[in-house]
Amino acid sequence: MFSCKFGRLISGLCIPKAAPMCGMSPTGFSWSAVCQRRTLRLQRTQKNPEPCHLSLRQSSHATVDPDEVRRFQLLSSKWWDEQGEFAALHAMNDLRVPLIRDNLLNMHPKNHPGRPLSGLKILDVGCGGGLLTEPLGRLGASVLGIDPVEDSISTAQVHASYDPELRGRLRYQACTLEELSAEAEEAGRFDAVVASEVVEHLADLETFAFCCNHMLKPGGSLFITTINKTNLSYALGIVVAEQLLRIVPNGTHDWEKFISPVELERLLESNGFSVQTVQGMLYNPLSGAWSWTNSTAINYALRAVKVRDDVQPEPTDGTEEEESHRTGTHS
């Protein structure tokens, strides 16, 4: 039932209609009220720059947000319920697995029928229960999945143990990205780093970008899927999904942690990456399927390539980052 309501709300927001544009939609949803609330939040952020998440990212040097860890700890046993809280992530594999496979094959053309990614090493950051780690392993890659939630790693290990085909291809480790980056034997050995639906939950994106660079071989690929920071993502991701229809628990997402493609590209390029592609993604709650779209207003996928490894983390006074935060936020 909620899927039907959600679909009607998406239609009301995405398709121009003469009557609802200036006031209330037929569902009672006030788009203008959402915009006003978002504007007030931005004004408060600009008047009080110290609490801004971007400033915290600069100073914390820890990618993990303890509140996010606690939240996912409660969901750690539900990763492989394809009709549960992670249903959309299961469906997203239809887009993200081919995205990773095809781009890696373009850069590493090999002839391994049935195992096209054989010989490649992939790091899956924030792997959760292994929803993306396993299909990459089945394509022949050697995959290391990391997550700070130990129970999620246990869930991933148990599930992978049921498939003999994955034996020897997957490894899981309960740790943060910065902890792994500090291990000399792991640095600079991966052909690709994947962070799918992760960056919107992190506390320090500067450290994240620096560590991703550190883990990759020269020319290695970084794949990210995340949520844009726009009016529409606030309306659908926060107001509709959490507060109105309660499709996901209230507090699952913090809109202040969402990041625009422009801001993310700027961050990555300052940390030794060259962004190659940015593509919009759209989820249909009625069919439960994802599709590619030209619009990046809500979800998007980004692919970048490591072009240098001489990056050093540089502390800032927050002024430039705050200006980037304002200019990178658009609808």
Side-chain angles (χ1 to χ4, degrees):
M1 181 176 68
F2 67 78
S3 294
C4 295
K5 293 180 180 178
F6 193 40
R8 288 195 295 270
L9 281 170
I10 289 179
S11 298
L13 289 171
C14 298
I15 302 174
K17 296 181 181 179
M21 283 294 287
C22 299
M24 300 292 290
S25 72
T27 61
F29 179 80
S30 174
W31 171 251
S32 59
V34 170
C35 295
Q36 290 170 1
R37 288 169 63 183
R38 175 179 179 249
T39 300
L40 289 174
R41 293 184 71 179
L42 283 175
Q43 290 174 345
R44 287 196 295 269
T45 301
Q46 293 168 2
K47 290 179 181 179
N48 303 282
E50 277 193 348
C52 177
H53 284 281
L54 287 173
S55 297
L56 291 175
R57 290 170 186 165
Q58 289 291 330
S59 60
S60 67
H61 300 298
T63 59
V64 172
D65 183 333
D67 291 337
E68 300 281 1
V69 172
R70 284 190 288 270
R71 187 174 298 116
F72 281 98
Q73 180 75 34
L74 298 174
L75 299 170
S76 59
S77 64
K78 302 180 179 181
W79 282 104
W80 289 96
D81 180 359
E82 296 187 20
Q83 306 303 319
E85 286 87 344
F86 298 114
L89 288 183
H90 282 273
M92 190 183 286
N93 277 354
D94 290 343
L95 292 189
R96 56 187 182 176
V97 172
L99 171 73
I100 297 167
R101 178 198 63 204
D102 295 347
N103 279 286
L104 288 180
L105 283 178
N106 286 336
M107 299 185 70
H108 307 274
K110 297 179 180 180
N111 184 21
H112 297 287
R115 298 180 180 179
L117 300 185
S118 181
L120 298 182
K121 294 181 173 61
I122 300 176
L123 173 63
D124 185 5
V125 178
C127 66
L131 272 60
L132 181 56
T133 323
E134 286 196 10
L136 293 177
R138 290 192 182 93
L139 289 174
S142 174
V143 191
L144 171 60
I146 64 170
D147 199 285
V149 180
E150 292 187 8
D151 286 353
S152 292
I153 290 295
S154 297
T155 297
Q157 290 172 330
V158 169
H159 193 272
S161 69
Y162 297 137
D163 188 350
E165 184 182 354
L166 296 174
R167 195 166 299 138
R169 298 187 199 171
L170 302 188
R171 288 192 298 131
Y172 288 106
Q173 188 171 334
C175 68
T176 66
L177 176 60
E178 58 270 24
E179 289 170 346
L180 185 71
S181 180
E183 299 179 11
E185 66 273 15
E186 297 288 2
R189 65 184 293 266
F190 292 96
D191 298 287
V193 171
V194 178
S196 185
E197 304 307 291
V198 169
V199 300
E200 66 269 23
H201 299 289
L202 298 180
D204 188 338
L205 284 188
E206 189 73 37
T207 299
F208 164 79
F210 174 78
C211 291
C212 285
N213 178 288
H214 189 56
M215 300 308 297
L216 282 168
K217 298 176 180 178
S221 296
L222 173 63
F223 298 92
I224 292 174
T225 67
T226 189
I227 309 175
N228 199 349
K229 193 171 188 178
T230 62
N231 283 331
L232 194 57
S233 69
Y234 179 77
L236 294 181
I238 306 295
V239 178
V240 175
E242 296 185 14
Q243 299 172 9
L244 292 183
L245 299 184
R246 304 196 183 277
I247 296 173
V248 294
N250 195 23
T252 296
H253 292 110
D254 180 352
W255 185 82
E256 295 296 344
K257 288 184 178 179
F258 293 178
I259 184 169
S260 72
V262 172
E263 186 181 355
L264 183 55
E265 181 172 355
R266 185 181 298 121
L267 173 72
L268 293 175
E269 292 190 344
S270 69
N271 282 276
F273 288 97
S274 173
V275 174
Q276 304 296 300
T277 57
V278 178
Q279 182 69 45
M281 306 167 69
L282 182 65
Y283 181 66
N284 185 336
L286 301 179
S287 65
W290 288 86
S291 59
W292 295 114
T293 175
N294 291 329
S295 172
T296 59
I298 308 175
N299 295 80
Y300 64 95
L302 177 149
R303 182 178 72 90
V305 173
K306 175 178 176 176
V307 293
R308 69 182 196 276
D309 57 10
D310 58 346
V311 180
Q312 297 296 328
E314 298 178 358
T316 68
D317 59 7
T319 304
E320 180 180 348
E321 198 65 29
E322 178 65 14
E323 179 63 24
S324 169
H325 168 63
R326 290 196 295 268
T327 58
T329 301
H330 58 85
S331 59

